[in-house]
Amino acid sequence: MTKPVSLPVKERFHLPEGVIYLDGNSLGPLPRGVEDAVSKMITDEWAAHLIKGWNVDDWMAQPIRVGNRLAAMLGAPDNAIALGDTLSIKVYQALASSVEMRPDRRVILSDSGNFPSDLYMAEGLIRLLGNRHELRIVAPEEVEAAMTDEVAVAMITQVDYRTGRMHDMDRITRAAHAAGAVMLWDLAHSAGAVPVDLTVCECEFAVGCTYKYLNGGPGAPAFIYVRPDLIETTKPALSGWLGHDAPFAFEPSYRPAVGIERMRVGTPPVIALTALERALDVWEGIEMADLRAASLHLSEVFIAGVEARCPDLSLVSPRDGRERGSQVSFAFEHGYATMQALIARDVIGDFRAPDIMRFGFTPLYLDEADVRRAVDILAEVLDRRLWDRPEYRQTNRVT
Ligand SMILES: *Cc1c(COP(=O)(O)O)cnc(C)c1O
């Protein structure tokens, strides 16, 4: 056991001088040590060992080894999480296996707060399965009531990427199970942000990405969890060779690997996994309960400050912290230009159409003084109508 440390742990990150980073919910900053770990892997392993690295450096075991580190953070046992691919792919895998577990049911249930890629992947799967399934999208507050015996799988993202609204995982999972449905959670905005206990939750599947609150870097590999009692009967839709029981036997036909290895698809992204493995060191000694308390405090300071000083902005996140993840969103007609003006003043958040300004609170590297300064700068941008300058109105490709 490592000793609990107090937050923040800013010294564990590279953050440009003067920047207040409120976008760790979209791309976490670079943890210190990642650059050395990656560079060492490239020179000492790839350059020196060439293809031998798969054995001598254990690259082949990395997706499950790093998965076990995540498992410890998410209340899962060892060998229940595999890493690789992107979240969209992992959503597809979990969804396809879920649908196969309930062959007599035709509804994939989701909510209108889900991230579009999850919904798009469901549409693609439904088309491939001959359009015999229905993607049923209800309002977030209607998810529980919509759990009928038609539902094969409920595919829900716990924290809404736009508003930060947070579902009660345990309660919704119980409702899904009472209706006989499979429960699939997307933890993209939960992992590393709020306490998660997959064992207590008892959901069948969970997926998430590692480049948001887990700071794995742009394009870092995604994760998939399968409840241990189901792994041996889960049928992988993406039956790639590295999910085969004996990849190097090169058999002509697919046989799933024993255990969570079957959710692997192809060659693991070794460089990216090396970065992630090192990035997870920043969690040493951090208690998730402390992180959550600090996140709620920072969010409340921000909400109170903005509401007192920026009357044109309206809160679109739940006011009750228990119903909110680790981000706060405000709507404003000139939200895009305002965010550009903020970024130009080193307060970095982001924007989601049509009018939502998002601010992520990551207590690993933010303290109350940062949040108060961000409020000051936001109030100044609004008071002086700095958003009304042409240079802030040009829309970039990534918002
Ligand atoms: C960020 C996010 C994604 C992104 O998927 P990628 O395949 O990693 O690009 C998907 N779903 C949700 C819910 C997200 O928040």
Side-chain angles (χ1 to χ4, degrees):
M1 281 296 282
T2 43
K3 274 204 310 273
V5 297
S6 54
L7 293 165
V9 287
K10 293 188 191 202
E11 67 287 355
R12 297 186 185 182
F13 292 89
H14 289 280
L15 283 163
E17 191 66 38
V19 164
I20 301 175
Y21 194 58
L22 306 178
D23 215 357
N25 51 310
S26 208
L27 176 69
L30 174 66
R32 283 188 198 278
V34 168
E35 70 279 35
D36 288 343
V38 168
S39 151
K40 196 163 151 34
M41 178 267 147
I42 287 174
T43 50
D44 297 0
E45 299 182 10
W46 179 16
H49 299 154
L50 299 161
I51 200 165
K52 294 180 289 181
W54 289 109
N55 291 314
V56 300
D57 300 308
D58 227 12
W59 296 339
M60 207 40 102
Q62 207 181 18
I64 308 298
R65 184 175 75 231
V66 184
N68 288 343
R69 299 226 6 222
L70 271 187
M73 293 179 64
L74 300 174
D78 275 356
N79 304 313
I81 289 183
L83 280 153
D85 317 298
T86 71
L87 177 51
S88 304
I89 303 284
K90 289 321 198 197
V91 166
Y92 191 87
Q93 269 188 305
L95 199 56
S97 291
S98 302
V99 165
E100 237 180 322
M101 285 177 177
R102 296 291 183 275
D104 301 331
R105 297 182 173 211
R106 290 286 177 261
V107 171
I108 296 173
L109 180 69
S110 194
D111 73 46
S112 54
N114 207 345
F115 189 77
S117 196
D118 297 37
L119 304 175
Y120 302 162
M121 293 314 271
E123 288 178 346
L125 177 66
I126 289 171
R127 200 178 60 240
L128 193 71
L129 294 174
N131 286 318
R132 288 178 295 120
H133 292 76
E134 173 198 345
L135 174 59
R136 189 172 291 169
I137 300 173
V138 301
E141 37 313 331
E142 277 153 22
V143 167
E144 273 181 86
M147 296 284 187
T148 64
D149 62 7
E150 298 168 288
V151 177
V153 49
M155 171 186 71
I156 309 287
T157 296
Q158 190 194 11
V159 178
D160 185 315
Y161 74 103
R162 258 196 245 108
T163 64
R165 179 215 24 82
M166 183 167 73
H167 280 301
D168 181 331
M169 279 179 75
D170 295 349
R171 211 175 70 210
I172 289 187
T173 302
R174 278 196 299 274
H177 289 170
V182 172
M183 187 71 227
L184 159 55
W185 282 107
D186 188 327
L187 303 177
H189 292 272
S190 311
V194 296
V196 171
D197 193 320
L198 290 168
T199 301
V200 167
C201 172
E202 295 186 342
C203 60
E204 283 83 354
F205 295 96
V207 295
C209 51
T210 62
Y211 50 80
K212 292 172 180 162
Y213 293 95
L214 294 169
N215 314 304
F223 66 87
I224 183 165
Y225 160 86
V226 182
R227 204 174 69 197
D229 62 303
L230 297 170
I231 291 177
E232 300 309 333
T233 50
T234 295
K235 296 194 182 104
L238 301 177
S239 38
W241 72 306
L242 287 182
H244 192 282
D245 188 40
F248 286 88
F250 297 103
E251 294 171 10
S253 183
Y254 181 78
R255 278 190 297 120
V258 175
I260 193 67
E261 299 263 354
R262 71 180 56 193
M263 300 315 266
R264 293 172 61 169
V265 182
T267 304
V270 179
I271 299 174
L273 279 164
T274 302
L276 174 62
E277 190 166 17
R278 184 65 180 80
L280 292 177
D281 287 353
V282 301
W283 295 93
E284 207 158 290
I286 309 287
E287 300 284 349
M288 278 314 284
D290 293 347
L291 183 96
R292 174 67 172 154
S295 146
L296 286 174
H297 176 67
L298 296 179
S299 304
E300 265 140 41
V301 167
F302 187 73
I303 292 172
V306 172
E307 290 197 321
R309 296 173 60 190
C310 312
D312 292 338
L313 269 52
S314 45
L315 182 68
V316 290
S317 299
R319 196 168 288 281
D320 183 345
R322 288 169 299 185
E323 292 168 18
R324 211 171 50 227
S326 207
Q327 82 181 55
V328 172
S329 303
F330 281 93
F332 178 45
E333 186 189 351
H334 305 290
Y336 181 79
T338 300
M339 186 54 76
Q340 296 310 303
L342 280 177
I343 293 170
R345 285 159 185 79
D346 279 346
V347 176
I348 304 181
D350 64 18
F351 175 81
R352 288 294 175 262
D355 61 356
I356 291 183
M357 302 167 69
R358 297 196 304 179
F359 303 92
F361 295 95
T362 42
L364 293 178
Y365 48 84
L366 288 170
D367 58 27
E368 191 175 323
D370 297 322
V371 173
R372 291 193 184 282
R373 200 149 67 83
V375 172
D376 289 343
I377 296 170
L378 175 58
E380 191 199 352
V381 165
L382 294 163
D383 291 345
R384 296 175 52 202
R385 294 176 63 95
L386 296 172
W387 48 264
D388 202 13
R389 292 186 180 172
E391 69 263 34
Y392 299 140
R393 294 178 162 272
Q394 284 160 16
T395 312
N396 291 317
R397 182 164 173 186
V398 174
T399 63

